[in-house]
């Protein structure tokens, strides 16, 4: 925990983004740096709206153990959206989104 997943089709400095994001997560939700884990999934095909443009997306999902308020989760989402543009190699036509949610009660780790 936190489990961070980044789906992206835009050119993204993945390592730089993760290394910048982890301290923000630690500060915002009061967790440990060594608990942050980020994985990246490249989106090979994407259709936005009627498909007439060549838009790209970056969607960041952060899953946390329950207990954070909606306000804290919203603050973290905003921080993610503020950070992302600094790690994009191209910004034109890129749609950014972020979601912070609770992990399901079935979550386990070893």
């Amino acid at each position: 925990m936190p489990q961070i997943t980044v789906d992206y089709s835009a050119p993204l400095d993945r390592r730089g983004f993760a290394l910048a994001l982890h301290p923000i997560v630690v500060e915002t939700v009061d967790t440990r740096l060594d608990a942050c884990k980020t994985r990246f999934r490249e989106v090979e095909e994407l259709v936005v709206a009627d498909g007439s443009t060549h838009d790209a997306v970056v969607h960041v999902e952060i899953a946390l153990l329950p207990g954070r308020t909606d306000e804290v989760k919203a603050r973290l989402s905003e921080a993610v959206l503020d950070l992302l543009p600094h790690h994009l190699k191209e910004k034109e036509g890129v749609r950014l989104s972020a979601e912070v949610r609770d992990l399901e009660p079935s979550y386990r780790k070893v």
Side-chain angles (χ1 to χ4, degrees):
M1 193 294 295
Q3 297 290 331
I4 305 164
T5 304
V6 181
D7 293 310
Y8 69 98
S9 67
L12 176 67
D13 171 14
R14 297 180 305 271
R15 183 172 177 78
F17 175 69
L19 292 174
L21 176 61
H22 292 175
I24 292 170
V25 173
V26 167
E27 180 180 320
T28 306
V29 302
D30 190 29
T31 191
R32 297 180 339 268
L33 187 61
D34 65 346
C36 295
K37 296 168 282 309
T38 300
R39 67 177 180 256
F40 294 89
R41 300 185 299 202
E42 186 172 9
V43 176
E44 292 184 24
E45 188 170 349
L46 169 73
V47 178
V48 176
D50 65 1
S52 63
T53 63
H54 299 286
D55 291 333
V57 299
V58 179
H59 176 72
V60 179
E61 179 183 289
I62 302 174
L64 306 168
L65 291 173
R68 277 61 177 210
T69 65
D70 289 342
E71 292 78 17
V72 166
K73 292 176 195 173
R75 190 166 58 243
L76 182 53
S77 290
E78 290 297 327
V80 168
L81 294 176
D82 289 342
L83 178 64
L84 266 172
H86 301 286
H87 296 277
L88 289 173
K89 297 174 183 171
E90 297 174 17
K91 296 176 179 77
E92 189 70 30
V94 180
R95 297 170 185 240
L96 306 177
S97 59
E99 176 186 8
V100 179
R101 64 173 184 80
D102 289 341
L103 287 161
E104 293 296 321
S106 62
Y107 174 77
R108 301 289 186 273
K109 70 176 186 173
V110 291

